[in-house]
Amino acid sequence: MSSVSHFANDIPKSAFPADVAQGRKSLSWNGIVPGIVLVTMITAVAFSARNVSGFALFSPMILAVVAGMIYSNVLGTPVHAKAGIAFSQKRLLRFAIVLLGFQLTLGQVVSIGAGGVGIVAATLGATFVFTITLGRLIGVDAKLAQLIAAGTSICGASAIVATNIVTDARDEDVTYAVASITLFGTVAMLGFPLMAPMLGLDQHAFGLWAGASIHEVAQVIGAGFQNGTQSGEIATVAKLTRVAMLAPMVVALGLMARGRSSSEVAARPPMPWFVAAFVAVVALNSLVTVPTEVKSAMALATTIMLTMGLAAMGLQADISQLRSRGLRPLALAFSAFLFIGCFSLMLVKFVG
């Protein structure tokens, strides 16, 4: 790992355009190369680690996020690699999720049934209300509590960023919420598959539980496919059902914010493009027979890109950020993590 750090830090910083150094967004090829190189190296480490005794049970996606977290929190992430890391975590990861649609059909989507959709919706609503209420009781800032509630109940960092459009919280609060959601979502991704046998969950039940409770889309995919193909597919569908609920949730928060303020608050909820694209690909895959060879190639490419996205997610996880706002918000995020896991499990066991 030290050799990876040495190589990444040797990548010329001049490869970045000036606007990246000033903090503005840039997706020029030269600007993202250093980060993509670093992410690719960690991805290669994750795939190679599966050949080591004891690691074969873990998917490369899980190994990649762990390796990324170790790298960033022990060795530090080069500043000039951040643009490529962000590209891998956002653009590349979402494109991979779209390609994942080639592994699903509408028949499989129907497999979670109306009951599955009901479980997802009930879990989302209950978790959001629980987190906001508990945050008020233990004295967590209301805006920070809303960010943690959105990240836990809907779709992790994407929901936090979208929610902040209407909550307008401080940058430190957004960072704290993202860091805590990443931490507990990673714990769920690593721990839930190990708990499936003890809880007596088959692949369908586990996929529904993972999709209804784990924070990030990528974390759901990592946990779901760790427990089997059917489990991963159901987890993905259940999770994307949660993601689709992001827009109405942001609209509701925007209306609440507008009602509390005399100023005009722009509440234009972003509907994640990859959700619509994923649905379109699933529909296409259901109507058109895709050659087996093409599906196999796409499956491999999807796995590689998902692994790169998770490696980038690990590189973005800064444990030190959790100390910046004290223990109460961390306790709130942990409580929300426990609540969504237990509440959704109860519904899956007794209703699903």
Side-chain angles (χ1 to χ4, degrees), residues 167-216:
T167 58
D168 194 28
R170 291 179 292 184
D171 290 343
E172 294 82 2
D173 289 346
V174 176
T175 301
Y176 192 107
V178 171
S180 61
I181 292 304
T182 300
L183 173 62
F184 294 122
T186 301
V187 170
M189 181 182 67
L190 296 174
F192 280 18
L194 300 177
M195 297 171 62
M198 296 182 290
L199 295 172
L201 299 176
D202 58 21
Q203 287 205 27
H204 182 278
F206 177 79
L208 188 56
W209 181 42
S213 61
I214 300 179
H215 303 8
E216 290 274 359

Side-chain angles (χ1 to χ4, degrees), residues 33-104:
V33 164
I36 290 179
V37 169
L38 177 58
V39 168
T40 301
M41 288 179 171
I42 292 179
T43 299
V45 169
F47 274 94
S48 300
R50 299 195 70 209
N51 297 321
V52 178
S53 177
F55 289 98
L57 295 176
F58 296 97
S59 71
M61 291 179 276
I62 289 181
L63 295 175
V65 73
V66 172
M69 290 183 69
I70 293 174
Y71 182 101
S72 63
N73 289 279
V74 175
L75 302 176
T77 303
V79 174
H80 55 286
K82 290 187 179 297
I85 293 171
F87 175 85
S88 299
Q89 182 179 352
K90 296 178 181 178
R91 303 293 182 89
L92 191 61
L93 184 56
R94 280 151 179 73
F95 183 67
I97 293 171
V98 173
L99 291 184
L100 191 62
F102 281 106
Q103 300 180 33
L104 298 174

Side-chain angles (χ1 to χ4, degrees), residues 156-170:
S158 298
I160 291 170
V161 173
T163 301
N164 196 48
I165 293 176
V166 294
T167 58
D168 194 28
R170 291 179 292 184

Side-chain angles (χ1 to χ4, degrees), residues 24 72 76 106 124 142 152 179 205 210 218 233 247 257 268 342 349:
R24 296 194 295 270
S72 63
L106 292 176
L124 188 156
T152 302
E233 292 169 351
R268 299 176 59 188
C342 294
K349 293 282 284 185

